[in-house]
Amino acid sequence: MMIRRNHIILTITSIVGPVLLFFCLVCCSEPVNTENNPNFDEDGYAVYNQQDSVLFTPTEPAKVKFYFEVSGSMSGFFCSNAPTGFKEDVNDVLNKYPAISEIYVMKDLKGERPDLIKEDDFVKSMNSGAFGDTLGSTLVPYMIENIMARLDVDNGEVAVFISDMIYDPAEDKTAKVLATQYGSNIAKILHQYGKSVCLVCATSSYIRKTGTVRAPYYYLIMGNGPQVAKVCNDISGVLEKRDRFVDNIVAGFDYGRPTYTFGAPQRCSRMNKKEPTFIEYEEEEDGDTCTIKLNINLENYRKIITDEEYFKTAFYAQSTYGTSVKYSNIEMDKKNMTAIVKLKVYGMVLDSEVLEWGLKLPNTDYTLMSEFLEGATDPNDPTKSYSVKDFCEGMFGGLTNEIKPNYILISKKN
C-alpha cells in the first residue's frame, strides 16, 4: 500500500509540475508595452490603426473629363500653326487617357454649354489656332460650378479644367467689387462641393504681336481624393519631363496615415513583419544605439515635399516618455517618391517607449508659384497670373487636408 501511495503522489506531481511551470511562465512574463500606452496592447500589437482599414492610394479614374477655356487671354497658347509648350504638353496629357477621356470646349462666359468634341478634332483645332478668340472675360467661378455639376464622382470621374485661371469680370458693372470677393466665393463653392482639388501650375511659350514670352497656365483637377492624386501625379510627371512643371497645390484630401516600410534596424529587432514594434532595445556608451530606418512613401502628396529642405520641415518624430530621438542623414529617392529617415533612439529610462511620427504638410505654401502671383495687377499681362493668388486663398479657405500620425513601440523586453 505504501508503494502504491508513493506512486500516486509521484504521478500527481508529474502532472501538476508542468502545469505550474506553464502557469508561472505565462503569469510571470512581462508585457512588451510596459507603460500601457493606449496605441498598443500589452503584447506590442498596434491598435491605433485598426479603424484605418483603407489606406490612401492614388487610383486610376474611371473617366477623365477635360474642359478647355478658350477665351481671348488664352490665344497666345493656341496661336495659329505655331508650336507652343502648351500644345505639346496638352497633347501628351490627353494621350495618357485615350480610352477614358472626354474633351469639352467652354465657349460661353459661364461655361454653361460646354461642347463635347472628339480628340482628333480638338487637336486639329488647337494646332490651327481655331481657339482663343471666342470669349470676352470668362467667369471662372461659374465655370467651375458648371463642371462640378456634370461630374459623377461616385463612379470615379475626374474633371480637369485647363485655363490661365484669370478672373476679370470686366464687363460687369460691379467688377471691382466681385474681384475683392473672388477668394471667399471660391472657398464657398469648393466647400459646398466637398471633394478634392489639385491646381497644377505649368509654363509655356506665349505668342503675341510684340513677341514671345514665358507664361503660366493651370490644370485644375477635381474629384475624389485617390483619383485626383493619380491624375495630378500623371500631369505633373508629363510637365516635369520637359521642365515646364512649376508646382501643384492641393486641398480637400483625407490622407489617413503616411504609408511606409521599415528597413533593417540596429541595436533592436522587429517583433514581427507586420507590427511597428521593436524589442531587445540596446544602446552603448560609445553612441552605437537603437536605430530604426523608415522608408516613407511620398507619392500621395504635393511634389514640393520631395525637396529635401521641405521634407525636413514637414517630418517630425517625438517620444512619449522622454527618450531622446534624433533623425539625420535623410535621403530623398525622387525617382520612387520616397524619403529614407533613420531614427536614432537613446537614453531610454523606462522599459518601453512609444514614438509618434508624421508629416506636417506644406498645404498653403505656394513659394514656387510666387513669381507669377506676386505683382499680378494687370489681367492683360500673360506673364503673370492675375487673380490666381485669390483663387489659391479660396482653396485653402474652403477645403483642408487631413493627415494622422503613426506610432512605433520600442521595448527592452523580448
Side-chain angles (χ1 to χ4, degrees), residues 30-91:
E30 295 185 73
V32 173
N33 180 14
T34 62
E35 305 309 309
N36 295 316
N37 186 279
N39 294 298
F40 297 84
D41 67 17
E42 67 174 12
D43 295 320
Y45 291 87
V47 297
Y48 71 88
N49 56 3
Q50 289 181 355
Q51 294 181 344
D52 302 333
S53 57
V54 180
L55 295 175
F56 184 95
T57 304
T59 306
E60 290 284 351
K63 181 181 290 185
V64 182
K65 294 180 173 179
F66 292 95
Y67 292 85
F68 287 86
E69 182 209 328
V70 293
S71 68
S73 65
M74 294 287 288
S75 61
F77 299 120
F78 288 113
C79 190
S80 176
N81 298 317
T84 62
F86 172 88
K87 293 178 183 178
E88 188 174 19
D89 290 335
V90 162
N91 186 68

Side-chain angles (χ1 to χ4, degrees), residues 339-350:
I340 303 164
V341 182
K342 291 182 179 179
L343 299 176
K344 284 188 168 293
V345 184
Y346 58 96
M348 191 162 83
V349 177
L350 302 175

Side-chain angles (χ1 to χ4, degrees), residues 115-221:
D115 289 347
L116 178 64
I117 184 172
K118 292 181 180 179
E119 182 175 340
D120 289 344
D121 293 336
F122 171 81
V123 172
K124 288 178 182 177
S125 296
M126 176 177 70
N127 293 343
S128 65
F131 302 129
D133 292 310
T134 56
L135 299 178
S137 300
T138 51
L139 302 178
V140 176
Y142 292 99
M143 286 186 165
I144 293 173
E145 282 189 296
N146 282 312
I147 290 171
M148 291 175 176
R150 292 171 167 81
L151 190 61
D152 186 359
V153 293
D154 292 336
N155 287 312
E157 289 186 358
V158 168
V160 183
F161 178 48
I162 297 93
S163 166
D164 57 15
M165 298 298 292
I166 292 175
Y167 174 57
D168 178 31
E171 297 170 9
D172 193 302
K173 293 180 180 179
T174 61
K176 291 183 178 180
V177 178
L178 289 173
T180 64
Q181 298 170 343
Y182 185 38
S184 62
N185 287 340
I186 289 296
K188 178 182 178 182
I189 292 168
L190 296 182
H191 180 72
Q192 290 176 338
Y193 174 58
K195 297 298 179 180
S196 301
V197 177
C198 172
L199 183 69
V200 180
C201 179
T203 60
S204 168
S205 52
Y206 185 96
I207 302 171
R208 53 184 180 176
K209 293 179 180 180
T210 56
T212 301
V213 295
R214 175 174 173 263
Y217 74 99
Y218 299 86
Y219 299 81
L220 180 65
I221 308 163

Side-chain angles (χ1 to χ4, degrees), residues 16-27:
V16 173
V19 173
L20 290 174
L21 178 61
F22 174 78
F23 180 79
C24 182
L25 287 173
V26 172
C27 293

